[in-house]
Amino acid sequence: MNKKLNIIIACGGTGGHLFPGIAVAQQLKAMGHRPVLLISRKDVDAEASKKYGDLEFHTVQAIAKPKLLSWRTPGFLWKLMRTYFTCKKIVRSVQADVVIGMGGFTSMPPVRAGRKLGLRTYVHDSNAMPGKSNRMTARWCTAVLLGLKEAEAHFPGSHCIVTGTPVREELLHLPTTEEARTRLGLPQDKPVILVTGGSQGARNLNSMLIEAAKADPDVFYFVIAGKLDYERVNGLAAGAANIKVIGFCADMPSAYAAADGVIARAGASTLTELSLIGKACLLVPYPFAADDHQTYNAKVFTQEGAATMCKQDELTNEVVHQFVHNIILQPQARQAMEQAMRRQARPDAAACIARTITTP
């Protein structure tokens, strides 16, 4: 029988790192291993730790790198060092055999600690354009695991393995469209467009899409505005019978199942989920993402015919309506995009990562 391993998964700070980490933990636990997740003290992490009560979580200080030559740099370096020593204690206390970081500067201290203690170490990057922190962390890694093959060129000298990006188990089992719309209070007799801008940078996208939705009364728009922008966006949508605005959706499987098409940012986790379920989408990359990585992600999918893309400053009512009426409401065009999207999926990503990190 294979040895059962204690495995640290550093995945806190953002949903894009957290949920793939949870998916890997679920896979490892099913294999009989002991996953231990390192998360931040942010709300998104706290909510997840409550929802996934069968998993083991430890909290460490969240770290965000300031701009170069910022006055915040000394404080960042101090926090980085403190978190490194905290992680080293945790790695020792759980008698870890392996450490994997799911990306971002929160991954660097535990991976470095694991390497210092002589363990096998890994970092996962979901994006076509890897972040600076992952490129730095890679120097201490046994291997770099990639969501998209296009990222490999940015890790010269590292052993890279394309695994795909994991998704949570609940996204593998969607309800029917009718069931999903009933759960969410959406109409059964209209096409439904899901609008989701992510937890950051959604304000401009929300405003533009509300305007486009008001000018398209025969289509229903379901807008996940984000908690911080909910009141404002709900006010903008007041009086429009074809718009429903919520701040946060705890049932994304139903949100995806209810939608005929999706308008979203181009974060790696979002694209992974959309490819797995095969949804036609209009991508509007967040223009202030680090290294413009969302644009690189979007191009990977648009080049394969799996999505269409529009820059935020070029998004108009006409662009939205062309996507809805020329693709989503045209069965042949919609089916072609959905099929192309499914071809980008890696449904075995969590299992691939789990096998890789548990095999010496």
Side-chain angles (χ1 to χ4, degrees):
M1 181 179 292
N2 292 333
K3 177 186 175 183
K4 302 308 178 185
L5 305 177
N6 300 324
I7 300 172
I8 295 284
I9 304 173
C11 59
T14 71
H17 298 142
L18 176 64
F19 294 120
I22 287 173
V24 172
Q26 290 172 328
Q27 180 68 37
L28 289 168
K29 188 170 182 179
M31 294 167 64
H33 300 292
R34 177 196 175 195
V36 179
L37 295 97
L38 299 191
I39 60 173
S40 74
R41 300 182 182 94
K42 291 183 177 181
D43 289 344
V44 63
D45 293 357
E47 289 177 5
S49 64
K50 293 177 183 176
K51 183 176 180 181
Y52 299 95
D54 60 324
L55 296 176
E56 182 179 349
F57 293 88
H58 290 253
T59 58
V60 295
Q61 187 169 18
I63 302 171
K65 184 181 181 299
K67 294 181 180 179
L68 192 64
L69 303 180
S70 167
W71 62 270
R72 294 187 178 90
T73 297
F76 162 74
L77 295 174
W78 171 245
K79 289 179 183 177
L80 197 67
M81 185 60 66
R82 285 181 58 187
T83 302
Y84 165 75
F85 285 113
T86 299
C87 291
K88 201 170 184 180
K89 289 180 181 178
I90 294 173
V91 171
R92 281 175 168 154
S93 69
V94 304
Q95 298 181 321
D97 299 288
V98 178
V99 178
I100 178 172
M102 298 307 294
F105 272 97
T106 302
S107 291
M108 184 184 289
V111 168
R112 175 62 177 144
R115 188 66 166 185
K116 195 71 173 178
L117 294 171
L119 307 181
R120 295 201 313 278
T121 53
Y122 304 85
V123 67
H124 181 273
D125 197 295
S126 301
N127 296 295
M129 171 59 74
K132 292 183 177 67
S133 58
N134 286 355
R135 298 201 297 269
M136 294 174 64
T137 303
R139 71 184 70 179
W140 300 305
C141 290
T142 306
V144 176
L145 312 181
L146 303 176
L148 297 169
K149 61 181 175 58
E150 287 77 6
E152 187 170 1
H154 301 281
F155 291 101
S158 294
H159 175 47
C160 294
I161 303 171
V162 180
T163 61
T165 295
V167 298
R168 295 162 284 170
E169 286 182 358
E170 56 260 43
L171 289 169
L172 301 176
H173 310 286
L174 300 187
T176 66
T177 300
E178 293 74 16
E179 290 171 340
R181 292 187 180 186
T182 298
R183 290 179 190 177
L184 298 171
L186 303 177
Q188 302 285 355
D189 58 348
K190 281 189 174 185
V192 172
I193 302 298
L194 170 64
V195 178
T196 174
S199 59
Q200 299 176 343
R203 184 180 177 89
N204 289 339
L205 183 63
N206 287 336
S207 298
M208 294 172 183
L209 268 298
I210 292 297
E211 181 182 335
K214 284 184 172 181
D216 197 16
D218 293 331
V219 175
F220 197 90
Y221 288 77
F222 179 42
V223 182
I224 304 174
K227 289 182 176 180
L228 297 179
D229 207 22
Y230 168 72
E231 294 293 342
R232 184 188 70 87
V233 177
N234 198 43
L236 292 176
N242 68 320
I243 305 174
K244 179 173 182 176
V245 180
I246 63 173
F248 173 77
C249 184
D251 187 4
M252 283 307 295
S254 290
Y256 286 135
D260 295 294
V262 179
I263 301 174
R265 293 301 196 189
S269 289
T270 296
L271 287 168
T272 299
E273 293 172 356
L274 291 172
S275 66
L276 184 69
I277 60 181
K279 287 292 177 180
C281 59
L282 168 61
L283 301 175
V284 187
Y286 179 47
F288 304 109
D291 299 317
D292 197 24
H293 69 264
Q294 289 201 8
T295 296
Y296 286 92
N297 290 345
K299 287 180 178 179
V300 170
F301 284 76
T302 56
Q303 288 168 359
E304 298 297 327
T308 184
M309 178 181 74
C310 181
K311 293 182 179 180
Q312 180 170 288
D313 60 5
E314 297 175 357
L315 187 65
T316 62
N317 289 2
E318 183 180 1
V319 170
V320 174
H321 296 166
Q322 285 180 348
F323 166 69
V324 173
H325 293 273
N326 295 349
I327 297 177
I328 300 305
L329 300 187
Q330 301 300 320
Q332 188 172 355
R334 174 179 162 185
Q335 185 180 41
M337 185 172 284
E338 289 174 344
Q339 290 175 344
M341 181 59 89
R342 289 190 186 96
R343 288 196 291 270
Q344 310 312 308
R346 292 289 299 263
D348 64 339
C352 183
I353 291 173
R355 287 195 304 270
T356 299
I357 68 177
T358 57
T359 304

